[in-house]
Amino acid sequence: NSNNNSNKKSSEVAVEYKSWSIPFYTLASMTLLYFLSSAYNIRMTAIRSVGTVIHEFDPYFNYRATEYLYYNGISKFFTWFDHQSWYPLGRPVGTTIYPGMQVTAVFIKNHIMKSMSLNDVCVYIPVWFGVIASLLVGLIAYECTLECNSDSQILIVLWNIVADEKNQIGSLSSSQKQSQQQQKKKKSTTTTTTTAYDVDNKKLAVLCGVLATGIMGIIPAHLMRSVGGGVDNESVAI
């Protein structure tokens, strides 16, 4: 009887939480879209003000390197010695540059945005990747907030890193046995229905992910490296 009563209570709680899950996730989705659109619009301010213009010194150099890669190919790019950089000494650009931004820009130009000019692709890259980085930070925050990726799981990982090989093997076997015993106890004492705690934990993770996206979208340290026209290594690297 006690088991039946607990099953009824858990099922009632699950139904009650599911009844307002739809409004919660709808509001979270709308807020997430608002944060992403705000991140995009903020980074588009320079482009809307002065047009598709590359500004600052490093972005001009990065565009020139991207242009050389686009017209000459990857093999010549890595053996390119630029006599106009570091004048009058010159610079072996191909071996003294982080090529990720240039390769990404050329890939987008050749396979995704074929109709856009290479200049426009480089101008918009900070905007695009700034929004993507904001979303990825939100996904990371969501993942880290889930119960399965916190508390004892993190401690086990840290213990495995610090412990030596012999102790590590012993600790792994003992921890696995303990976890198996705990799982068996949970299975015997709990039901398969969704509990209020599980729902709350997921909603908390969603909330953390949405807020993290909003913070990353407007934080000045990220904005400085992802403004439209300021194409630099950090535009892609972050």
Side-chain angles (χ1 to χ4, degrees):
N1 292 331
S2 60
N3 292 332
N4 293 332
N5 292 331
S6 62
N7 292 339
K8 289 181 179 179
K9 289 182 180 179
S10 61
S11 60
E12 290 175 358
V13 170
V15 171
E16 180 181 356
Y17 273 78
K18 287 180 180 179
S19 63
W20 55 271
S21 291
I22 295 177
F24 174 83
Y25 287 117
T26 302
L27 180 61
S29 301
M30 294 174 63
T31 306
L32 179 63
L33 292 176
Y34 172 76
F35 285 153
L36 292 176
S37 63
S38 298
Y40 179 83
N41 290 325
I42 292 172
R43 288 160 176 79
M44 284 289 295
T45 302
I47 298 176
R48 289 168 179 167
S49 300
V50 298
T52 53
V53 177
I54 294 175
H55 49 82
E56 299 181 27
F57 296 102
D58 287 347
Y60 272 112
F61 169 78
N62 291 325
Y63 172 71
R64 185 164 174 271
T66 304
E67 195 175 35
Y68 187 91
L69 173 63
Y70 178 72
Y71 288 110
N72 296 278
I74 192 77
S75 59
K76 289 186 177 181
F77 176 77
F78 283 118
T79 58
W80 174 34
F81 188 90
D82 186 10
H83 295 278
Q84 297 181 5
S85 297
W86 295 352
Y87 185 83
L89 299 176
R91 175 184 177 182
V93 177
T95 55
T96 60
I97 193 176
Y98 296 106
M101 194 279 298
Q102 286 79 16
V103 173
T104 301
V106 173
F107 178 84
I108 293 174
K109 165 63 178 171
N110 289 334
H111 301 285
I112 302 176
M113 299 293 183
K114 297 181 180 180
S115 60
M116 292 182 66
S117 65
L118 186 63
N119 176 84
D120 291 353
V121 170
C122 291
V123 168
Y124 280 95
I125 274 181
V127 180
W128 297 334
F129 280 84
V131 177
I132 293 173
S134 300
L135 178 60
L136 290 178
V137 168
L139 294 176
I140 292 173
Y142 167 79
E143 192 71 19
C144 293
T145 312
L146 292 174
E147 184 192 11
C148 61
N149 297 322
S150 59
D151 296 334
S152 60
Q153 298 295 329
I154 295 177
L155 295 177
I156 292 174
V157 172
L158 293 176
W159 173 257
N160 293 338
I161 295 175
V162 175
D164 55 41
E165 294 183 358
K166 293 182 180 180
N167 293 333
Q168 184 178 359
I169 295 174
S171 64
L172 280 174
S173 60
S174 62
S175 62
Q176 288 176 353
K177 290 179 181 179
Q178 292 177 359
S179 62
Q180 289 177 357
Q181 292 176 357
Q182 291 177 357
Q183 290 177 359
K184 289 181 181 179
K185 290 181 180 180
K186 288 182 179 180
K187 288 181 180 179
S188 61
T189 57
T190 60
T191 60
T192 57
T193 57
T194 302
T195 62
Y197 178 79
D198 295 331
V199 178
D200 277 342
N201 181 255
K202 292 179 181 179
K203 284 183 169 60
L204 179 63
V206 171
L207 182 61
C208 288
V210 171
L211 293 179
T213 299
I215 294 172
M216 189 64 176
I218 62 173
I219 194 169
H222 188 215
L223 280 172
M224 291 170 60
R225 296 298 182 179
S226 58
V227 175
V231 57
D232 209 341
N233 297 322
E234 292 83 2
S235 301
V236 176
I238 295 177

